[in-house]
Amino acid sequence: MAFRAVHANWGTVFAHLPDLGCGQAWEAVWKVKPPAPITFAECRHPMYAKTSRSGMQFFAHAPHAPDCEIAREGESEAHHLLKLDLAWAGRDAGAHAELEVRAPDGS
């Protein structure tokens, strides 16, 4: 489960932003045939757009994903919602906040 993916034509897209951060609607990547050309930035494996039972939008690895950290461990919906809340609170306070960032060691 991730909020960020890379679209072949639009660049980085964010599931938590109303316009995906690139001026496109969620419906442009969700439940489209053929699937939208989105991949995971870390492993470059295809992803697809999903919506949880509670309505949260996110990206998930397509089947047979390699052994990357997100595919292997994943994160709960509660964890993602907490990240969103913290990021919005930081932004509201004037700080720069990103939901997914590499550690100094590249992990």
Side-chain angles (χ1 to χ4, degrees), residues 2 4-8 36-49 59-72:
R4 180 175 48 95
V6 178
H7 190 282
I38 53 177
T39 58
F40 191 52
E42 278 70 15
C43 67
R44 301 292 183 204
H45 190 76
M47 298 189 88
Y48 57 98
F59 299 111
H61 279 89
H64 311 294
D67 188 32
C68 81
E69 188 174 343
I70 294 291
R72 182 175 61 252

Side-chain angles (χ1 to χ4, degrees), residues 46-85:
M47 298 189 88
Y48 57 98
K50 292 182 76 173
T51 302
S52 73
R53 289 185 183 114
S54 66
M56 183 177 71
Q57 299 170 176
F58 63 96
F59 299 111
H61 279 89
H64 311 294
D67 188 32
C68 81
E69 188 174 343
I70 294 291
R72 182 175 61 252
E73 297 176 15
E75 293 178 349
S76 70
E77 184 172 338
H79 182 84
H80 278 291
L81 292 173
L82 177 61
K83 286 189 339 185
L84 277 174
D85 285 345

Side-chain angles (χ1 to χ4, degrees), residues 4 17 19 21 23-25 30 39 63-64 71 74 84 88 91 98:
R4 180 175 48 95
L17 296 177
D19 68 349
Q24 299 292 325
W30 182 57
T39 58
H64 311 294
L84 277 174
W88 285 114
R91 290 174 186 151
E98 294 185 39

